[in-house]
Amino acid sequence: MSLYDFDGATVIITGASGGFGSELTKQLIRRFNCRVIGIGRTKEKMEALAESLGKRKIFFKYYTFDVTDKNSWQRLKATFEKKGERPDMLINNAGIMPPFRKFEDESSDTAKQVMATNFMAAVYSCEALLPLLLQSYRGAIVNISSSAAFSPIAGTAIYSASKGALKNFTQALIEELDGRMFVSLVCPGVSETGLFRDMDLNKDDLETMSGFGTDKADMAKAIIEGLMLRKKLILAGKDSKLMTAISNAAPAHANSLYTKVMKGAHLHIFGEL
Ligand SMILES: NC(=O)c1ccc[n+]([C@@H]2O[C@H](COP(=O)([O-])OP(=O)(O)OC[C@H]3O[C@@H](n4cnc5c(N)ncnc54)[C@H](OP(=O)(O)O)[C@@H]3O)[C@@H](O)[C@H]2O)c1
């Protein structure tokens, strides 16, 4: 099978303003002269990313809207049609994670917001843009889920559920669009990004994270390498590979093993689990 041809491709990336999204944007522009269309809510963050690209900022444009708003996706589609814009790849990357907390200390309002951002936004973007993506010879959809989709650890009931929904949605799309479009499910492991901004990480948390986590630039590189190889499932990061292997090999025992490890680590980030 031939490699995915990134050269000069037009790639839409949600959540381009932070973490993996901005790393993917930089690497796709620097390595392949991709035209990246970023989606995010914060103009200042998008402008900062554009500036960081130097002369190459001409390869980057952005739209600011909330990905949970279905109408904004329909408006983007109408804008693309009017301008004759033909995207090649859609990367649904924007996501949020509430602090680690038992579900009994959480609320269904949080679940609604997390599901809207981590799952429904991908449904809206695919609904709006699939017809345009299908017109490209290299049309592709890439959904950034998480290792949590395979390994729902204690304290992440809502986040894991949203990532599990995105995983199953994507895996069904892979089958439905087989032969017509490349669809990939990406499950990264831990990486220190803005995702943990509400968690008040302390020194121990950060040390542990850098011990078994993956640098965000390396994560983006691994994702791009997997996409070039047209992998339908990309487990990015050694923790994602290990935890998914354990969860697949021993599904009845893996989650209680992770809970024991987390409790044993006495890390501040896991709170009172
Ligand atoms: N970091 C990890 O350890 C890890 C592990 C596994 C999976 N993931 C997944 O990887 C993806 C990227 O996360 P990250 O770690 O790069 O987090 P991040 O640094 O917080 O970046 C997420 C980006 O999404 C954007 N965003 C959030 N909600 C949005 C909304 N409603 N509408 C539009 N944009 C929105 C944010 O930009 P604005 O605030 O400007 O809108 C932000 O730039 C997420 O789906 C996350 O679940 C991360």
Side-chain angles (χ1 to χ4, degrees):
M1 194 187 285
S2 61
L3 293 181
Y4 184 84
D5 174 19
F6 270 114
D7 278 338
T10 298
V11 182
I12 301 167
I13 304 182
T14 70
S17 53
F20 299 162
S22 58
E23 287 300 326
L24 288 167
T25 299
K26 288 177 198 165
Q27 293 185 29
L28 288 175
I29 290 177
R30 287 182 184 143
R31 281 181 69 181
F32 306 104
N33 290 333
C34 286
R35 287 183 59 238
V36 174
I37 300 175
I39 313 286
R41 291 168 300 186
T42 318
K43 187 168 188 279
E44 294 71 26
K45 281 158 72 178
M46 288 296 197
E47 282 295 325
L49 173 58
E51 286 312 312
S52 76
L53 293 165
K55 283 185 186 158
R56 290 180 171 241
K57 78 176 179 186
I58 51 167
F59 290 92
F60 179 66
K61 70 194 256 188
Y62 65 85
Y63 293 86
T64 46
F65 64 83
D66 188 322
V67 292
T68 67
D69 180 30
K70 177 178 168 169
N71 292 334
S72 293
W73 284 108
Q74 291 299 330
R75 276 197 291 276
L76 185 70
K77 177 192 182 183
T79 303
F80 283 177
E81 284 172 340
K82 200 170 151 201
K83 292 186 171 175
E85 186 83 78
R86 289 285 173 269
D88 298 303
M89 178 180 276
L90 165 66
I91 304 184
N92 286 302
N93 163 74
I96 52 172
M97 178 158 81
F100 284 79
R101 196 179 280 149
K102 283 182 186 159
F103 175 68
E104 60 203 88
D105 300 325
E106 224 3 302
S107 84
S108 56
D109 291 339
T110 305
K112 213 170 157 186
Q113 193 197 355
V114 173
M115 286 301 288
T117 311
N118 294 0
F119 174 57
M120 285 309 296
V123 176
Y124 297 145
S125 66
C126 288
E127 180 184 41
L129 300 180
L130 191 54
L132 292 180
L133 291 162
L134 279 167
Q135 291 173 26
S136 165
Y137 75 93
R138 51 185 167 180
I141 294 173
V142 178
N143 288 339
I144 311 283
S145 176
S146 167
S147 56
F150 291 98
S151 311
I153 59 178
T156 69
I158 291 171
Y159 180 75
S160 299
S162 70
K163 292 298 184 179
L166 184 62
K167 165 188 162 291
N168 283 0
F169 174 69
T170 310
Q171 288 180 316
L173 280 191
I174 289 171
E175 299 308 318
E176 290 177 20
L177 293 166
D178 188 33
R180 292 197 292 153
M181 181 183 285
F182 167 47
V183 181
S184 181
L185 170 68
V186 179
C187 293
V190 169
S191 181
E192 198 195 321
T193 65
L195 195 69
F196 300 91
R197 63 175 70 73
D198 297 328
M199 298 198 201
D200 193 21
L201 301 179
N202 68 18
K203 193 168 152 279
D204 288 345
D205 293 325
L206 290 169
E207 268 174 20
T208 306
M209 219 181 246
S210 65
F212 69 85
T214 304
D215 172 76
K216 61 186 176 185
D218 293 338
M219 197 70 97
K221 187 163 181 265
I223 292 169
I224 291 169
E225 300 298 324
L227 294 177
M228 285 176 74
L229 295 170
R230 294 179 177 274
K231 286 190 177 176
K232 294 175 184 173
L233 172 63
I234 300 172
L235 301 172
K238 53 187 184 299
D239 55 329
S240 177
K241 289 188 177 69
L242 178 66
M243 288 175 75
T244 306
I246 295 172
S247 294
N248 286 335
H253 305 289
N255 295 327
S256 53
L257 171 70
Y258 305 141
T259 305
K260 280 193 189 104
V261 170
M262 283 156 53
K263 282 186 174 167
H266 298 295
L267 282 170
H268 166 259
I269 186 176
F270 297 132
E272 298 294 319
L273 292 178

